[in-house]
Structure formats: structure tokens, C-alpha cells
Amino acid sequence: MQLLSLTLKGFRGIRDGLGLDVLTLDFEALCDGAELVAIAGANGRGKTTVLDNMHPYLLMPSRAAAAGAGGFSYYDHVFLPESEKDLVWALEGRSYRSQIVIRLNGRRRTEAFLFVLSDTGAWRPVILEDGTVSDGKVDTYTRCVEHLCGSADTFFTSVFGAQGKRQLSDYRNAEIKTLLADLLGQEHIRELGRKAGDTAKLLKAGLVAVRQDALGMEAEASRLAAAWEEVADAPALAGRAQDAVTAAGAELEVARQVCVQVTAQCDHAREADARRAQLLAEREAAQTVARSAMQELADRESREGLRLERLARRIAQRQAQVGLSRQRLEGVQAQCSALLASEPLVWRAIRRLPLAEHLLAQRAERVRLARIQLADWEQARGQLRMLAQRVQGIEREAGQAALQVQALRRRFGLTAEVPCSGMPLQGRCQLLADAREAQTLIPSADAVLQRLADEKSGVEREGRAVKARVQAMNSAGVHMEVAERRLERARDRASTLALLAAKADDMEVARQRLAEARDELMGLGEAGGEDGSAEACAEQEEREAITVAMQAIGTQRQQQSAGLQQALARLDAVLATLPEPFDQGLLSSAKTTLDHAVTAHEVAQRAHVQALQQVQSLAALRQQREALSERQAAARRRSQRIENAIGDWTLLARCMSNDGLIALAIDDAGPALSALANDLLLACYGPRFTVSIVTQAETAKGEKREDFDIVVHDAESGESKSVRLMSGGERVWINESLGRAVALYLAQTSEHRYETLFSDEADGALDPERKRMFGAMKREVLRLGGYRREFFVSQTPELAGMADAVIHLEALRTDAGAVAVT
């Protein structure tokens, strides 16, 4: 894979480091013929951001928090509403273009397109052999890139050394085996192992189902055994049931004969019973008629009682209404009389109201004049305060002017005291010039003092005149209060007279109401005379009529009771002549006995049928138990076959796992990786350090177990120790050698061919001499692996100076869009 150009738009690292929204790098022009290309610049200039995007994968490895799809998000590293990464690269003679668009406006969305340059010079979407098309979706883009370039884990472990990259010595046993299996192309073996494991899981699930069926058949066998126990004595039960049917038939025949005899006796007594029933019906009818008549008389009596109660209520209501009317009229008469008693006051108020209103107008005018005089007094007081303030201001200004005059006279008095006075130097003496300038200013200062004195005299005269006006009007407030009190009294008097005068019309109305009330009271008195006697007579007549009706009802009740007693005595005499009624209990008892016999016969027949059914069930259960035994034997054979298959597939899955063939492949690749790492160490660092990869460790019991460790042999000290126990700089050196050895091994064995290597500040822990050796190792890796170029980021000037070309990002801060290359 070769890089042709890169455009980053809207990335925070570029904006924060270079102040640019868009950065474009043309690698063909910048790195033409260069093997080692350094990306240089001060800290925070965006070097890591550029290097993290110099590959087609959807990942910035230095920014990823964890491995996998959820460990990184572009949204945290862009700021424009629509940011973009555009990378043009070549692989196996064909040009590809990765275009990734990250949108932040509204709903977050990422679109990724992979194009291939056609023979006609146009970019077209990549289409894989299985029909997958790069349609802008992240999933399809990832499948297309991994199909062309291999998995992301392989790429970032072997050829891309990201900043803060996890060292191989930090991997655990399972992790390093998974990684090396991926690097060595053993994924198809792991896939076979997964398929074998899935097959074993499916067989286990099937075995569970078969065992559940077996448990169900055992439950069915238990149920059949219980059912067999229930019907085991069915033939004996059938014989006993037949005997019970015969005995019940004999009892049924006897009960039928008894029932026929009792029925014949009942037919003979039926005529006498019919006559008795007729007489009893007549007796009941007579009693019913008598009860109806008595009820009718009781209803009539109740109605007459209600009439009497209504009459009493009507009399009471009439008397109460008359009392209420009399009380209301007496109240109206008293109210009107009380109102007419104040009639002289009303006529007096009508006569005095015009005089009171005239007085009210005069006193209102006096209040208005008093308010005007009070306003003038307050205005004069305010003017007097302003004149006093003005005098104070003139006095302050006069004091300042007097101080200025004194200062000018003092300066002028210095003329005789200046030493240079009368000497040739007096023309250049600044003190003497200042004194003479004060002489010219004294007249104007005196004029100011005179003007201020005249102005003060004028203001004081005006103040005395205003003060005289204020003293003359000092009683304005007292006059105002007196006028307002008199106005209030005049207003109250006029209001009272107006209210009384308004009652003149009410007097006439009260006089009319008083006359009407007297007339109505006289009418009530007359009604209590003749009309009242007539109404009382009508009520007396109605009461007497009700009394007569009640007496008639009592007489009819006695007659009805006597007639009923005579009819009942006659019917009872006839009933006494009839024979005793037939005892229906005998017939009922005979029928009950017959029903019991019929029921017992039916029960015996059903028991016999059930016994025969149990005999048939016994035969069916025998057949079911035989069939169930055959099914159980077949289930046991099937379960045994599945258990054997599970063992085989489980063994195959283990053989195809990290601890099987993959572990053997890693053991085979271990010496090759160690040899490549040792070659790099020998060529660039000398013969001091050699490494070996250990894939097995011995337990406390002396047994071998799967493990992974990198053992370093030190030729100077003669010791061998794990790389985890080495110093920081030595660990960087050893791990970088191993990483590049993995890249060289892949270059020799993998089907994916990378022509470009990447590393980001891997030399930080090395001293200057080791850094130069580190640069030499980079060239050795390029030579051994046949790589075309390596891009690296370093803060070391010595290491950057060993590069064939240097991309200076610092120059982009002043020249946007251009990159300085040396």
C-alpha cells in the first residue's frame, strides 16, 4: 500500500495546531524517491492527527480508548457541521480513494465511500466478488477495506506503530495467541474450530431435547404403571357388577307392583277429594269477598279521616294568613306614621337649602384664594432659598479670587528679590518672567473681586425684598386651614339639607300608603264579622257530614262480619259429612321407592359397563406399555450416538483452537520471528541482546502449560530475563525490534503486501546514541522487508536529520496549504 494524497477538513488537531480548517498533503510530490520521511513540528501542531489518518481504516489508533468498533468515534475529533477525510492510496498497481464524511449538524452520521480508479480514469465504487458494494455505509466500507488490506488488528500491530501503542510484552497468553493467529493467517483454522464448537453446542441442545423426551417417556411409563394398578382387577369387578345388576332388577319389579296397588286406591278416593276441594274453594272465596269488603270500608274510613285533617289544616291556614296580613298592615302604618313625623324638618330644609348652597360657593371661593396665596408664599420661600445659595456661591468664588490676587501680589513681590534682576541674565530668568506676568494679571483679578462684590450686593437687596414678602404672607397656611374647615362644615350642612329636601316626594307616598293600610285593616275587621261566621258554618257542616259517614262505615263493617260467619258455618257443616282424605304420602312413598329401585338398577348397569370398559382399558394399557418400551430403547440408542458425536466435535474444536493447531503454528513461527528480531538487533544494536519467544511454561508440578513470554539474553552479563524486567529504553528497543520482525515475517508469508510503514514517537525513552541506532534499524527493516517507505513522527532532531525527507508542519501556520519539505 502506497499513499498518494491526504486531505483533512474540520479536524480539531489541525485547527488547534495550525489554525487551518483544511489541510492537504500531496505525498507523491513531497516524498518522491524518499525511503524515510519524518513528520516534524513543535508539540501540539497536529503531527499525530496527520499520521493517524494516513491509512484507509475507520480509526485514529492513537485516540482509540479500546480495541473494537466502540473504542473510537470521529465525532470527538471534528468541529465543522460537515467534516471530511479524503485519502488516495495505491495497492497492487491500482489506485483507491477513501472518502469519509462526518456530519454533526442535527443527527450525527458518518458516511464512508471506497472508490477504485477505472481504466477510463473515473472513480467508481469498489465491488467485491461476493457482491458487496461500497455504498456509503460504514459496515460495507469496513468489509471492502479489510478484504483489500487485511484486518485492522494485523495492520496496526505489524506496520503501524501508533503513539501509546500496547507493547507485545504486555499481551496475555490468550490475547497474544489470538493476535498471532490473525497475523499468521490462521483465521480459517479458528473458524473451523468455531464451527466445530457450534456443532457441539447444537448437539448438546439436541441431547437435552432427547433427554427431556426420555424423561417424558419415564413419566409416561409411571403413569401407565399407575393406570395398570387401577384396572388390574377389572375381570373380577365385571363379575360382581353382573350379580349386582340381577339383584337390582328383582327389587325394581317388586317396587313397581307396590306402586300399582297404591295408585288404584288413590283413584277410588279422588271423587270425595274433588268435592272437598270445591267446598274449600267456596269457603276461601267467601273469606276473600269479606276481606275485600272490609278493605273497601277501611279505605273509605281512611279517606274520611283525611278529609277531616285537610279541613283542620285549612282552618288553621286561614287564621294564620289573617294574622300575618294584620301584622304586615300594622307595620306599614307604623312606618308611614314615623316618616310623616319628620315632615316639618323636610319643609324647613327645602326653605334653607338655597341659602346653604350660596354659602358653600362663597366658602369654596375663599379656599381657592387661600390656596393661591399659599402657593405664592411657598414660591417666595423657594426663591429666598435660591438667593441664599447664590450668595454662598458668590462668597466662595470671591474667596478663590482673593486667594488668587494674594498669590499674584506675592509673585510680583519677588521681582525685587530675584538675584538676576538688573543683570544681563534677567532676560533668560524664568522666575523673573513669571513675576512680571503676575503684574499684568493683578488688575484683572481686582476687577473680578469688584464684580463679585457688586453682584453680592444686588442679590442681598433682592433677598431682603423677597424675605419681606415671605413675612407678610406667613399667615397664609393658617388662613388656608380655617377656610378649609369652614368649607367642610358648609358642605356637610348643604348635604344634610339636600338629603332632607329630597324626602318631600316620600312624604306624599307615605301619606297614601298610610290611608291604604287603614282601609285594609278595616276590611280585615269586617271579614272577621259576618263573612267569618258564614265560613265557620260551612266548615261545621262539613265536619258533621264526615262524622255521619264514619258512623255508616262502622255499621256496614258489623253487617259484613255477621254474613261471613253464617257462610263459613254452613260450609264447615257440609265438609264434616265427607270421608277422610286419601293419604298422599303412601303414593309418594311408593313412587320414591320405585325411583330408588330404578336408580339402583341404572347404577348397577353403569358399574357393569365401567367394569367392561376397564377390561378393555387393561388390554389397551398392555399394548401402550409394549410400544413405550420400544420407544425408550430407541431413545437410549440415539442419546448414546449424540454423546459420542459431542465428544468428537468437542475434540475437533479444541484441536482447532488457540491451544491446538494454532498453538503449533505459533510454535513454528516463533523461531522465525525470533531470528528476524535478532537480525535487526545484531545489525543495528550489536551482539549484546538476543531474544527468544517462549510459548510453554513449567508448572509447580513439573507439567507443561500454554504460556507466552519474550526472554532476552544479555551477552555482557550472561543473564536471561523477561522483557518485562528490562529498563524502559531497553523495552522500547526490544519491542520495536519484535514489532518490525512481525512486519518482516508478514512481508514474507502474508497474502496482503504493505509497502509503507508508520511509527509515532517510539524513540522517546532512548538516549541520543540509541536514537541514531533506531534510525539505522528503520533502514534495515526497509531493506529486509522490501518496503518502499516509512513515515515516522519524532521530536529528536538527530533522528529527523537521518530522514530522506522532512514534512515541516510548522511552516503551515504562515503559509496555508503549502508544506515545507527538506
Side-chain angles (χ1 to χ4, degrees), residues 27 42 166 199 204 223 300 327 346 516 613 779 809:
F27 296 111
R166 187 180 181 186
T199 303
K204 288 179 181 178
R223 185 187 63 79
R300 287 174 56 191
Q327 185 178 359
V346 172
E516 292 173 356
Q613 290 176 351
R779 292 194 182 275
L809 296 183

Side-chain angles (χ1 to χ4, degrees), residues 5 16 88 146 153 174 201 251 283 288 343 398 408 452 458 509 523 564 576 726 768 775:
S5 66
D16 297 342
V88 180
E146 291 189 351
D153 291 338
K201 291 179 181 178
E251 293 178 358
R283 193 175 188 279
T288 302
E343 187 174 8
L408 291 174
L452 292 174
V509 173
L564 176 61
M726 302 185 71

Side-chain angles (χ1 to χ4, degrees), residues 6 39 46-55 61 160-162 758-761 791-793:
L6 172 65
I39 301 176
K47 301 185 298 298
T48 299
T49 301
V50 172
L51 190 69
D52 278 353
N53 287 283
M54 291 170 61
H55 59 82
F160 198 104
F758 307 86
S759 62
D760 189 356
E761 297 188 8
F791 292 93
F792 68 93
V793 175

Side-chain angles (χ1 to χ4, degrees), residues 7 12 15 88 149 152 157 160 168 223 237 384 388 427 475 488 512 529 532 538 565 592 610-611 645 723 771 784 807:
T7 299
R12 294 182 183 274
R15 182 198 63 181
V88 180
C149 304
T157 302
F160 198 104
L168 290 176
R223 185 187 63 79
L237 289 176
L384 183 61
S475 61
E488 187 66 25
Q512 294 178 1
Q565 293 298 329
T592 301
Q610 290 177 356
V723 71
K771 289 182 179 181
L784 293 176
I807 301 175

Side-chain angles (χ1 to χ4, degrees), residues 29 140 206 271 284-285 425 452 461 464 500 643:
T140 56
E271 183 176 355
E284 182 64 26
L425 296 176
L452 292 174
R461 286 194 301 272
R464 287 192 293 272
L500 290 173
E643 290 175 354

